[in-house]
Each structure stands twice: as structure tokens, then as C-alpha cells.
Amino acid sequence: MPLFGNTFSPKKTPPRKCASLSNLHLLDRSTHEIELGLEYGSPTMNLAGQSLKFENGQWMAESGSYTGERREMQRLRKRNQQLEEENNLLRLKVDILLDMLSETTAESHLMEKELEELKSHSRRKK
């Protein structure tokens, strides 16, 4: 018999509050935008005085003073793509040349072997 009563007596938990009665969480995105006015524009930010806007998966400068940089970046991307395509073509050509070299080497070894056999066969007849 405990001296001061039951030492382990947890308190009752308070009853849970009922879930939200709103059915907005059941709506699709377009209905959310209509009901709640959630029409966000594209994300924008300002870094070092330059305003940037996120469009088509890339950050683009909004102000017109940076159009030269944008054109230069597009030109460099195009040049990079051309160089990658040229590099892939050259790799393919090297692979083809290595295949041709190995085939020619194998044929050469085969012909040398046949020539040695013919020489040894002709020596035996003498």
C-alpha cells in the first residue's frame, strides 16, 4: 500500500478540437485561385540594382540595360551547344577509326599466319 497514494496517475487529455469545417482543401488549384485570389506573378528579385524575373525555368533580367548581356549569354549558349555537337561527332569518328584499325590489324595477323603456314608447308614438300 503506497504511503502517499498512487504515484502514477496521468492526467486526462483534453478532447481534440474538430477539424476545419472548410472544404477549400478539397478544391483543385484553379478553384483555389478563383476563390482565394491566389494569382501570383512570376517570382522577381532585385540583386545589386538589377531586377531579375523567373521565366521558363531561368532568371532573366527585366531592365532593358542588360539586353546586351542577355544576347551575349544566348550567343555563348548557342556556341556551347555547337561545340558539344562537334565534340560528339568527333568522338564518333574516333570510335569508327579505332574499329577500322582493329579490323585491319586482325586481318593482317590472319594473313601473316596463313603466309607462315604456306611457307612451312612448302618447306616440307622440298
Side-chain angles (χ1 to χ4, degrees), residues 11 13 40 44 50-52 57 62 66 75 86-87 95 100 103-104 112 125:
K11 296 179 182 177
T13 58
Y40 301 118
T44 58
Q50 181 180 1
S51 181
L52 300 170
E62 278 189 330
Y66 295 99
R75 186 188 67 76
E86 182 180 351
N87 192 16
D95 286 342
M100 291 170 62
E103 183 180 345
T104 305
E112 286 177 3
K125 288 186 177 181

Short mmCIF file of all heavy atoms in Angstrom, two decimals, residues 11 13 40 44 50-52 57 62 66 75 86-87 95 100 103-104 112 125:
data_model
loop_
_atom_site.label_atom_id
_atom_site.label_comp_id
_atom_site.label_asym_id
_atom_site.label_seq_id
_atom_site.Cartn_x
_atom_site.Cartn_y
_atom_site.Cartn_z
N LYS A 11 -2.78 12.59 -16.24
CA LYS A 11 -3.94 13.46 -16.39
C LYS A 11 -4.68 13.08 -17.66
O LYS A 11 -4.09 12.59 -18.61
CB LYS A 11 -3.50 14.91 -16.48
CG LYS A 11 -2.84 15.41 -15.22
CD LYS A 11 -2.41 16.84 -15.40
CE LYS A 11 -1.70 17.33 -14.15
NZ LYS A 11 -1.20 18.69 -14.31
N THR A 13 -6.29 13.62 -21.15
CA THR A 13 -6.00 14.55 -22.25
C THR A 13 -7.27 15.30 -22.60
O THR A 13 -8.37 14.75 -22.56
CB THR A 13 -5.50 13.78 -23.48
OG1 THR A 13 -6.49 12.84 -23.86
CG2 THR A 13 -4.20 13.08 -23.20
N TYR A 40 -0.45 34.62 -58.41
CA TYR A 40 0.88 35.18 -58.23
C TYR A 40 1.49 35.40 -59.59
O TYR A 40 1.30 34.62 -60.50
CB TYR A 40 1.78 34.21 -57.46
CG TYR A 40 1.26 33.85 -56.09
CD1 TYR A 40 0.93 32.56 -55.76
CD2 TYR A 40 1.12 34.83 -55.12
CE1 TYR A 40 0.47 32.23 -54.50
CE2 TYR A 40 0.66 34.53 -53.86
CZ TYR A 40 0.34 33.22 -53.55
OH TYR A 40 -0.12 32.91 -52.31
N THR A 44 10.11 37.58 -58.74
CA THR A 44 11.09 38.60 -59.10
C THR A 44 11.98 38.88 -57.91
O THR A 44 11.58 38.66 -56.76
CB THR A 44 10.40 39.90 -59.54
OG1 THR A 44 9.57 40.36 -58.47
CG2 THR A 44 9.58 39.72 -60.78
N GLN A 50 19.96 45.22 -60.06
CA GLN A 50 19.44 44.58 -61.27
C GLN A 50 18.20 43.80 -60.91
O GLN A 50 18.20 42.98 -60.00
CB GLN A 50 20.48 43.66 -61.88
CG GLN A 50 20.01 42.98 -63.15
CD GLN A 50 21.07 42.06 -63.74
OE1 GLN A 50 22.15 41.91 -63.18
NE2 GLN A 50 20.75 41.44 -64.85
N SER A 51 17.12 44.04 -61.62
CA SER A 51 15.87 43.35 -61.38
C SER A 51 15.81 42.09 -62.22
O SER A 51 16.01 42.13 -63.44
CB SER A 51 14.70 44.28 -61.73
OG SER A 51 13.49 43.64 -61.47
N LEU A 52 15.57 40.94 -61.57
CA LEU A 52 15.52 39.65 -62.26
C LEU A 52 14.14 39.05 -62.13
O LEU A 52 13.48 39.18 -61.10
CB LEU A 52 16.55 38.69 -61.67
CG LEU A 52 18.00 39.13 -61.73
CD1 LEU A 52 18.86 38.20 -60.90
CD2 LEU A 52 18.48 39.14 -63.16
N GLY A 57 11.92 28.66 -66.39
CA GLY A 57 12.97 27.93 -65.71
C GLY A 57 14.30 28.65 -65.63
O GLY A 57 15.29 28.07 -65.24
N GLU A 62 15.06 41.97 -66.08
CA GLU A 62 13.87 42.70 -66.51
C GLU A 62 14.22 44.01 -67.19
O GLU A 62 13.59 44.42 -68.14
CB GLU A 62 12.97 42.99 -65.30
CG GLU A 62 12.09 41.84 -64.91
CD GLU A 62 11.08 42.27 -63.86
OE1 GLU A 62 11.37 43.17 -63.06
OE2 GLU A 62 10.00 41.69 -63.84
N TYR A 66 20.30 45.57 -69.69
CA TYR A 66 21.08 44.34 -69.67
C TYR A 66 20.77 43.45 -70.87
O TYR A 66 21.10 42.28 -70.86
CB TYR A 66 20.81 43.57 -68.37
CG TYR A 66 21.29 44.32 -67.16
CD1 TYR A 66 20.41 45.06 -66.39
CD2 TYR A 66 22.63 44.30 -66.81
CE1 TYR A 66 20.86 45.77 -65.29
CE2 TYR A 66 23.09 44.99 -65.71
CZ TYR A 66 22.20 45.74 -64.95
OH TYR A 66 22.64 46.43 -63.87
N ARG A 75 24.23 33.91 -77.13
CA ARG A 75 25.23 33.59 -78.15
C ARG A 75 26.21 32.54 -77.61
O ARG A 75 26.55 31.58 -78.30
CB ARG A 75 25.99 34.85 -78.57
CG ARG A 75 26.94 34.62 -79.74
CD ARG A 75 27.81 35.83 -80.02
NE ARG A 75 28.74 36.11 -78.95
CZ ARG A 75 29.88 35.43 -78.73
NH1 ARG A 75 30.18 34.41 -79.49
NH2 ARG A 75 30.68 35.76 -77.75
N GLU A 86 29.80 19.17 -82.10
CA GLU A 86 31.03 18.87 -82.84
C GLU A 86 31.88 17.85 -82.07
O GLU A 86 32.44 16.93 -82.67
CB GLU A 86 31.82 20.15 -83.06
CG GLU A 86 33.08 19.96 -83.87
CD GLU A 86 33.85 21.26 -84.06
OE1 GLU A 86 33.34 22.33 -83.71
OE2 GLU A 86 34.99 21.17 -84.55
N ASN A 87 31.95 18.01 -80.76
CA ASN A 87 32.71 17.08 -79.93
C ASN A 87 32.12 15.67 -80.02
O ASN A 87 32.86 14.69 -80.14
CB ASN A 87 32.71 17.57 -78.48
CG ASN A 87 33.71 16.84 -77.62
OD1 ASN A 87 34.60 16.18 -78.12
ND2 ASN A 87 33.54 16.95 -76.32
N ASP A 95 35.81 6.63 -82.70
CA ASP A 95 35.36 5.26 -82.45
C ASP A 95 35.33 4.45 -83.74
O ASP A 95 35.77 3.29 -83.77
CB ASP A 95 33.96 5.26 -81.80
CG ASP A 95 33.99 5.68 -80.35
OD1 ASP A 95 35.08 5.65 -79.74
OD2 ASP A 95 32.92 6.05 -79.82
N MET A 100 37.91 0.39 -87.35
CA MET A 100 38.54 0.06 -88.63
C MET A 100 39.97 -0.41 -88.43
O MET A 100 40.43 -1.37 -89.07
CB MET A 100 38.49 1.27 -89.57
CG MET A 100 37.10 1.64 -90.05
SD MET A 100 37.01 3.21 -90.92
CE MET A 100 38.06 2.92 -92.30
N GLU A 103 40.00 -3.93 -87.00
CA GLU A 103 39.62 -4.90 -88.04
C GLU A 103 40.79 -5.15 -89.00
O GLU A 103 41.10 -6.29 -89.33
CB GLU A 103 38.41 -4.37 -88.81
CG GLU A 103 37.89 -5.32 -89.85
CD GLU A 103 36.69 -4.75 -90.59
OE1 GLU A 103 36.09 -3.76 -90.12
OE2 GLU A 103 36.35 -5.31 -91.65
N THR A 104 41.45 -4.08 -89.42
CA THR A 104 42.58 -4.21 -90.35
C THR A 104 43.73 -4.96 -89.68
O THR A 104 44.39 -5.81 -90.31
CB THR A 104 43.07 -2.82 -90.80
OG1 THR A 104 41.96 -2.11 -91.35
CG2 THR A 104 44.17 -2.93 -91.83
N GLU A 112 49.22 -12.98 -92.10
CA GLU A 112 50.59 -13.37 -91.73
C GLU A 112 50.63 -14.83 -91.28
O GLU A 112 51.54 -15.58 -91.63
CB GLU A 112 51.12 -12.47 -90.62
CG GLU A 112 51.50 -11.08 -91.07
CD GLU A 112 51.96 -10.19 -89.93
OE1 GLU A 112 52.03 -10.68 -88.77
OE2 GLU A 112 52.24 -9.02 -90.20
N LYS A 125 57.51 -30.04 -98.40
CA LYS A 125 57.49 -30.76 -99.68
C LYS A 125 58.86 -30.87 -100.30
O LYS A 125 59.11 -31.77 -101.06
CB LYS A 125 56.52 -30.06 -100.64
CG LYS A 125 55.08 -30.24 -100.28
CD LYS A 125 54.19 -29.65 -101.36
CE LYS A 125 52.73 -29.91 -101.04
NZ LYS A 125 51.87 -29.38 -102.06
#
